[in-house]
Amino acid sequence: MNMELDDITLNNVPGEVIGTVQRALDLHHDAKDNAALLQDALQEVVGMLHRQTNVIRKASEIKEVAKIFGYKPAQIEKFVKNHAETQVVSDAPDAPLPSWCNAEKLYGDGFVQLNQPEKGHKVGVYFSGTEQRLKRVSNFTIQPLIHIMDQRNNRRIIEIFNGRKTARVEVPGRALVTKGLFEATIIDKGSYLCEGMTEIQFKRIVGWLTDEMPICYDLVSLGWQADGKGFFAYADKVWYNGELREYSPLGVVEVGDTHYISMGVSNIHNDYRKTDNPYENDLYLKHVVNDDVNFEKWSAKFLEVFGSENGTIGIAFVFLTLFKDIVIGVTKCPHLYPYGPKGSGKSDFAESLSWLFFSGKNSEGKLMPGINLNFGQITPFAFYNALERFSNCPILLNEFDEQRMEDWKFGTIKSAYDGEARITGDVSTGKATKSKVQKVRGTLIIVGQYLSTGDDGSVLSRSFPCQFTLSRLDRLTNADIKAWDTLKTWESNGLSGIITELLQYRAHFIEQFRSVYWQVHEELKAELEGMRVRAETRLLRNYSCILAAIKIMESKVTLPFTYKAFFTQCCKTVTEHNSLLKENNALAKFWKIVEYCFTRNIINYDPVDRKHVTSDYDIRLMDNIRPKRGNEVVDHSFG
């Protein structure tokens, strides 16, 4: 006879596992044609099949029982599964499952987790053991949080709890391949141990973890992000579509329909000391609001402190920096090059521009420092990593001196103007042929005591030189000093909120820049030709950038100077800059000729008698000369 599944009530009826088929035959024989007795017989046999731990014997017994009771094997298997999922649980010692165990989770996921001790069961992950009893395979529970999708560093964030302490762990993809690598990753966080977990059980947990994790993208660079409509990512907030958004405690923010994570503010690293945070440098780019200072007040004070010649260029450079990705779509973006003797104010100038963006402080309470370019002060990896970390933000480089730094640094600064990136092998991928591109995403502010003449003035022609002199300090008044103190106080309190004030005009800048740039370029070229100045093409393009930026933004923000006055100033500056390049080129050529002659022994020098050893040339070191000025011969001593 046959029966419907709904007609059978599956209960846990004790019976011997051994002799299941014989027991089925006996029960079926005793029941004869009584439907109620046949249901009781079948439910007892199903309970016996459920307790059968030998899978091969169990499969064979299911087939035999199916024949005896007139069912298909698949129906009997379904009865056994329903029996497992609906059996009564209790805290009795002989109960198959304790009351806290969710049978649906156990048989669906393959395991269950206990977050609080329950009547002899400790915190941990449990799998089914012998006779359907639970077996603890770890002293911690595990929860999936997010999957960080990153081509170079793909990883997952999980939360583990051992009954006393909760930890969040970055688990690299390779640590989910084998149990040993996983254990090595979590042990760094404390007493988190796998106890008798098999590789098969580990794979079951990994499969569950990977299915449960939402995808999130790592903010590999902070600052402007081109994804979707675009947004500006501070370390602690995101500016998107005219509003500020907060990160979650995990460091995740939703922009559009995509999730991003800022590791600098994530609580993943709360277990470590603040000074050991590997993302501490990210925290310099924090959003800090000063309600008493807006862009109008800041730019007026900046100009008051640093003067009209350098201050105006510095303010224009802020616009170039914030909208650099727009600028390089039309032309090349120059560097800012403040130079002058020690104590002349060039570093203050550069730091004021940098700290307009970077208002965050490190664990010692200090604002973001510049990068020291001297020999051995920074490795190539750290240097290029810093250059690509912040998009549309200034990058401050101190101690720029071509004679006191490695050639690759000079080459990087030169090539950054042309938008050339560094291509290097990516060892993290494990592929010899794989490479990655490290771009210079921000603008460069290079600070040095001397004006660079190397490589025919290649850096000088790619920059806006801003000269600072000690004589300027002699003219400072008490009002000037007070203005300087005020500006530095603002910077210490934080000014980076001003950036969002300017970001609202990004669409206007995109719309206007190309046409305004070429219009200004032609106006500047015509004005210089009228002054009989034939400026280098590169200089015309450079100064057209800042002129276009001022002309575009003048209608949106209040500036402490007019575009007309700035245009007049730029004409004068381009003329001086052009002459400076020509002089430096001539000087460089002279010394190259001297160097060539010396290396070829065309000339040489005897330091003993301070005179050339041959009669072809008269080369000597002289401390004094007597040049003729008009009709008068004067003595001149070299310092």
Side-chain angles (χ1 to χ4, degrees), residues 22 61 169 179 251 257 457 569 633-634 639:
Q22 184 60 50
E61 289 176 348
V169 190
K179 183 169 69 72
D257 57 354
Q569 176 190 330
V633 177
V634 297

Side-chain angles (χ1 to χ4, degrees), residues 486-501:
T486 300
L487 181 61
K488 293 304 168 183
T489 300
W490 289 352
E491 292 166 0
S492 180
N493 294 335
L495 293 169
S496 58
I498 290 175
I499 298 306
T500 58
E501 180 186 340

Side-chain angles (χ1 to χ4, degrees), residues 330-346:
V330 178
T331 186
K332 297 174 181 179
C333 191
H335 314 318
L336 187 63
Y337 188 2
Y339 69 97
K342 183 178 180 181
S344 60
K346 62 185 183 300

Side-chain angles (χ1 to χ4, degrees), residues 285-550:
L285 191 64
K286 275 192 171 182
H287 180 268
V288 182
V289 176
N290 188 335
D291 293 329
D292 297 326
V293 185
N294 57 12
F295 180 77
E296 179 182 352
K297 290 184 67 174
W298 174 84
S299 59
K301 189 64 66 177
F302 182 84
L303 193 71
E304 181 182 355
V305 171
F306 296 108
S308 60
E309 289 189 6
N310 294 332
T312 52
I313 293 178
I315 292 169
F317 193 74
V318 169
F319 300 140
L320 289 192
T321 298
L322 191 58
F323 303 127
K324 180 188 175 182
D325 62 308
I326 303 170
V327 172
I328 61 177
V330 178
T331 186
K332 297 174 181 179
C333 191
H335 314 318
L336 187 63
Y337 188 2
Y339 69 97
K342 183 178 180 181
S344 60
K346 62 185 183 300
S347 294
D348 286 336
F349 174 77
E351 288 170 348
S352 289
L353 293 172
S354 176
W355 293 342
L356 178 64
F357 289 74
F358 298 100
S359 289
K361 297 180 180 179
N362 62 15
S363 56
E364 299 175 353
K366 295 180 179 179
L367 291 166
M368 186 176 185
I371 299 172
N372 192 316
L373 294 176
N374 280 339
F375 280 109
Q377 291 299 309
I378 188 170
T379 65
F381 172 81
F383 183 70
Y384 288 107
N385 188 58
L387 295 188
E388 72 170 347
R389 185 56 182 151
F390 300 103
S391 296
N392 289 16
C393 295
I395 304 164
L396 178 55
L397 306 177
N398 282 325
E399 305 299 334
F400 176 70
D401 184 345
E402 62 212 44
Q403 303 299 325
R404 300 178 63 187
M405 66 181 185
E406 296 88 341
D407 290 340
W408 59 264
K409 292 177 183 174
F410 185 88
T412 298
I413 294 171
K414 176 184 172 182
S415 62
Y417 170 84
D418 299 307
E420 296 174 1
R422 177 190 187 229
I423 302 177
T424 181
D426 189 356
V427 295
S428 64
T429 64
K431 298 179 181 179
T433 57
K434 186 71 174 178
S435 62
K436 62 181 178 181
V437 179
Q438 292 182 295
K439 302 177 181 178
V440 180
R441 301 181 186 273
T443 57
L444 301 186
I445 304 178
I446 50 179
V447 181
Q449 293 190 33
Y450 311 104
L451 202 60
S452 171
T453 60
D455 194 21
D456 292 334
S458 58
V459 170
L460 181 59
S461 67
R462 290 167 168 80
S463 309
F464 301 118
C466 295
Q467 184 179 21
F468 287 81
T469 63
L470 293 175
S471 60
R472 164 183 165 271
L473 303 180
D474 297 333
R475 299 190 297 270
L476 294 179
T477 64
N478 290 334
D480 294 330
I481 296 173
K482 184 178 180 180
W484 183 89
D485 287 336
T486 300
L487 181 61
K488 293 304 168 183
T489 300
W490 289 352
E491 292 166 0
S492 180
N493 294 335
L495 293 169
S496 58
I498 290 175
I499 298 306
T500 58
E501 180 186 340
L502 301 177
L503 281 171
Q504 63 181 310
Y505 306 119
R506 178 179 169 85
H508 174 70
F509 199 93
I510 293 175
E511 180 184 351
Q512 297 287 321
F513 185 74
R514 181 177 294 275
S515 60
V516 172
Y517 168 79
W518 287 114
Q519 176 190 343
V520 167
H521 182 276
E522 293 305 311
E523 291 174 355
L524 181 60
K525 182 179 178 181
E527 185 70 19
L528 291 173
E529 287 177 351
M531 298 167 59
R532 297 180 178 238
V533 176
R534 179 173 291 181
E536 290 189 10
T537 301
R538 184 177 290 165
L539 294 189
L540 284 174
R541 292 178 176 176
N542 291 350
Y543 285 89
S544 294
C545 281
I546 52 175
L547 282 167
I550 294 298

Side-chain angles (χ1 to χ4, degrees), residues 489-630:
T489 300
W490 289 352
E491 292 166 0
S492 180
N493 294 335
L495 293 169
S496 58
I498 290 175
I499 298 306
T500 58
E501 180 186 340
L502 301 177
L503 281 171
Q504 63 181 310
Y505 306 119
R506 178 179 169 85
H508 174 70
F509 199 93
I510 293 175
E511 180 184 351
Q512 297 287 321
F513 185 74
R514 181 177 294 275
S515 60
V516 172
Y517 168 79
W518 287 114
Q519 176 190 343
V520 167
H521 182 276
E522 293 305 311
E523 291 174 355
L524 181 60
K525 182 179 178 181
E527 185 70 19
L528 291 173
E529 287 177 351
M531 298 167 59
R532 297 180 178 238
V533 176
R534 179 173 291 181
E536 290 189 10
T537 301
R538 184 177 290 165
L539 294 189
L540 284 174
R541 292 178 176 176
N542 291 350
Y543 285 89
S544 294
C545 281
I546 52 175
L547 282 167
I550 294 298
K551 189 168 187 177
I552 293 169
M553 296 300 292
E554 186 181 40
S555 63
K556 297 296 182 181
V557 297
T558 302
L559 295 170
F561 56 92
T562 65
Y563 169 75
K564 183 178 180 180
F566 188 55
F567 184 87
T568 301
Q569 176 190 330
C570 284
C571 290
K572 176 176 176 291
T573 306
V574 171
T575 303
E576 294 173 349
H577 195 167
N578 196 57
S579 298
L580 192 61
L581 282 174
K582 290 181 177 180
E583 291 173 4
N584 282 331
N585 287 344
L587 186 62
K589 288 178 181 177
F590 167 76
W591 285 112
K592 283 185 180 293
I593 292 171
V594 173
E595 181 182 7
Y596 174 83
C597 292
F598 187 80
T599 56
R600 293 299 182 92
N601 289 321
I602 297 174
I603 60 173
N604 54 63
Y605 175 72
D606 186 347
V608 177
D609 62 5
R610 302 180 67 177
K611 191 173 182 179
H612 193 271
V613 295
T614 68
S615 59
D616 293 337
Y617 300 94
D618 184 10
I619 299 177
R620 68 184 78 175
L621 293 177
M622 302 182 67
D623 300 323
N624 297 278
I625 60 172
R626 302 188 70 213
K628 187 175 183 181
R629 294 179 179 172

Side-chain angles (χ1 to χ4, degrees), residues 28-226:
H28 186 270
H29 178 270
D30 293 342
K32 299 185 184 302
D33 293 331
N34 188 312
L37 293 178
L38 285 171
Q39 289 181 357
D40 291 341
L42 182 57
Q43 68 184 7
E44 180 179 338
V45 174
V46 166
M48 297 173 68
L49 290 171
H50 168 68
R51 293 189 295 275
Q52 175 60 268
T53 58
N54 188 313
V55 293
I56 297 176
R57 182 182 297 171
K58 185 174 185 175
S60 176
E61 289 176 348
I62 286 175
K63 291 180 180 179
E64 293 300 322
V65 170
K67 292 178 183 178
I68 294 170
F69 285 92
Y71 286 89
K72 295 180 179 179
Q75 289 178 293
I76 301 298
E77 289 178 356
K78 190 172 183 178
F79 295 161
V80 174
K81 181 180 179 181
N82 285 355
H83 175 79
E85 294 179 351
T86 59
Q87 62 184 312
V88 176
V89 296
S90 70
D91 292 321
D94 59 346
L97 296 175
S99 59
W100 58 265
C101 176
N102 186 320
E104 183 178 353
K105 283 280 188 184
L106 178 63
Y107 298 113
D109 298 332
F111 61 93
V112 290
Q113 303 191 69
L114 180 61
N115 288 310
Q116 296 294 333
E118 288 281 349
K119 297 183 179 180
H121 292 90
K122 298 179 181 180
V123 171
V125 176
Y126 288 81
F127 278 82
S128 295
T130 58
E131 298 182 359
Q132 299 303 313
R133 293 182 182 276
L134 297 178
K135 179 184 178 182
R136 183 169 175 255
V137 297
S138 74
N139 72 340
F140 61 89
T141 59
I142 179 170
Q143 296 298 327
L145 296 179
I146 55 173
H147 176 189
I148 301 178
M149 189 71 72
D150 182 359
Q151 186 175 3
R152 286 184 289 177
N153 187 19
N154 207 301
R155 60 205 188 276
R156 291 168 173 83
I157 308 299
I158 63 172
E159 183 177 274
I160 51 180
F161 173 66
N162 63 7
R164 300 179 303 277
K165 178 185 174 184
T166 300
R168 290 180 171 180
V169 190
E170 284 186 75
V171 183
R174 63 181 181 277
L176 296 177
V177 176
T178 61
K179 183 169 69 72
L181 289 174
F182 179 76
E183 289 179 296
T185 301
I186 63 175
I187 197 66
D188 290 340
K189 290 287 187 174
S191 180
Y192 299 97
L193 305 171
C194 296
E195 301 170 337
M197 183 186 296
T198 66
E199 285 289 346
I200 294 176
Q201 291 169 339
F202 173 71
K203 294 294 185 185
R204 193 70 180 263
I205 293 175
V206 169
W208 170 76
L209 278 176
T210 53
D211 284 342
E212 293 292 322
M213 288 187 177
I215 291 177
C216 183
Y217 293 94
D218 192 3
L219 289 169
V220 178
S221 65
L222 294 176
W224 183 253
Q225 312 293 314

Side-chain angles (χ1 to χ4, degrees), residues 8-27:
I8 302 176
T9 302
L10 299 178
N11 290 321
N12 182 30
V13 179
E16 296 296 328
V17 173
I18 299 176
T20 301
V21 175
Q22 184 60 50
R23 179 65 175 168
L25 287 170
D26 294 341
L27 290 173

